[in-house]
Amino acid sequence: MMRPGFQAYLAQFRALSEAYWSTHVERALEEFEKSGVGGATWAAGTRWKPGMSQLEIDAIEHDFGARFPEEYRAFLAILNATNNSAIWSLFEGDTLQKAAPRRIFSDWVDGLEDIKRTQEDVVSGILFDVENGAFWHDEWGERPNDVDDVRRHVRDLVESAPKLIPLHSHRFLVADLDLEPAPVLSVMQSDVIYYADCIEDCLAADFPDLALGLEPPEMVIDEKTCFSALRAVPFWGALLS
């Protein structure tokens, strides 16, 4: 059963964020250069795409090969994804440059390449730590001597683990996990963090300008129980901090 107020919160978030985008001015590369930090800026004219039907979400789940949390199904039905990509300014060596446009929120219809790239980034990040930082978890068994065998072993572990559902950038939900609200993980290389208790807390933390003043619905969360459930998730739980 859906939490009271959750769907209404998403509808309000949609309205307020579209109002924000209607007056948003794209940040120029020069602004990022002045701050010395790369990042993304919303494109002019950004709006949410129409929400998806339950049949459409069923089809996406089938293609993805795992069950979405009910709250993420509600997210797709009400918010879905934005109608265009964000504009990125990222460092190439020591130089900040315009990068290829990339969606922020996962678009399961028109942005499958971005989703695949995000999934590959997760594996590549773990492999980077394994190959360059001597990282290896005891639960993975004995470390192979050959580097190609190491890569295959890690990829096999990820492939057999519960799937991570990309919410946006490096924020993920865990598929086939019966927790309500649905907790959000942050995954950066082998660093997996219990980032937010729920989707709305993640939205409020990562996109504070989009819905200023919007209060998430009240709820009581047993973080200890939630953390324990996440700890029990094969592969990802062992990396959780």
Side-chain angles (χ1 to χ4, degrees), residues 172-184:
F172 296 86
L173 305 168
V174 182
D176 298 316
L177 185 64
D178 293 320
L179 284 178
E180 189 178 283
V184 180

Side-chain angles (χ1 to χ4, degrees), residues 27-224:
R27 292 182 65 190
L29 176 63
E30 292 73 21
E31 293 182 63
F32 286 103
E33 288 175 333
K34 287 179 181 177
S35 67
V37 178
T41 181
W42 299 106
T46 295
R47 295 181 63 86
W48 292 102
K49 298 173 72 172
M52 305 181 75
S53 71
Q54 296 303 305
L55 287 177
E56 289 173 321
I57 299 171
D58 287 344
I60 289 167
E61 276 188 328
H62 179 269
D63 292 342
F64 185 64
R67 179 169 51 85
F68 292 163
E70 284 301 311
E71 292 183 347
Y72 187 57
R73 290 179 64 97
F75 180 97
L76 295 176
I78 296 170
L79 293 178
N80 192 359
T82 53
N83 63 344
N84 52 29
S85 299
I87 301 166
W88 293 82
S89 296
L90 301 174
F91 279 97
E92 288 287 342
D94 295 331
T95 306
L96 196 61
Q97 298 180 355
K98 286 285 187 183
R102 186 171 179 176
R103 290 164 176 82
I104 291 181
F105 291 99
S106 294
D107 187 330
W108 295 91
V109 176
D110 299 315
L112 292 179
E113 287 305 313
D114 284 341
I115 291 174
K116 290 177 182 177
R117 181 165 53 176
T118 297
Q119 292 172 315
E120 178 57 30
D121 286 348
V122 169
V123 182
S124 298
I126 295 172
L127 285 173
F128 179 87
D129 283 356
V130 167
E131 295 174 23
N132 296 280
F135 176 80
W136 191 262
H137 202 282
D138 291 341
E139 291 189 10
W140 298 356
E142 185 176 351
R143 177 174 178 144
N145 293 320
D146 183 77
V147 65
D148 289 332
D149 290 339
V150 166
R151 292 168 183 164
R152 278 192 292 270
H153 186 68
V154 172
R155 287 187 178 276
D156 287 345
L157 288 170
V158 174
E159 183 66 26
S160 62
K163 290 179 179 290
L164 296 185
I165 304 163
L167 179 61
H168 76 83
S169 55
H170 53 278
R171 312 295 190 222
F172 296 86
L173 305 168
V174 182
D176 298 316
L177 185 64
D178 293 320
L179 284 178
E180 189 178 283
V184 180
L185 300 180
S186 177
V187 181
M188 291 290 288
Q189 295 172 217
S190 60
D191 190 17
V192 179
I193 297 172
Y194 178 7
Y195 182 73
D197 291 325
C198 55
I199 291 173
E200 58 266 42
D201 281 357
C202 179
L203 294 176
D206 290 340
F207 307 102
D209 294 336
L210 290 187
L212 285 175
L214 179 59
E215 294 292 333
E218 292 185 8
M219 57 185 164
V220 177
I221 296 176
D222 186 342
E223 290 191 355
K224 185 177 180 180

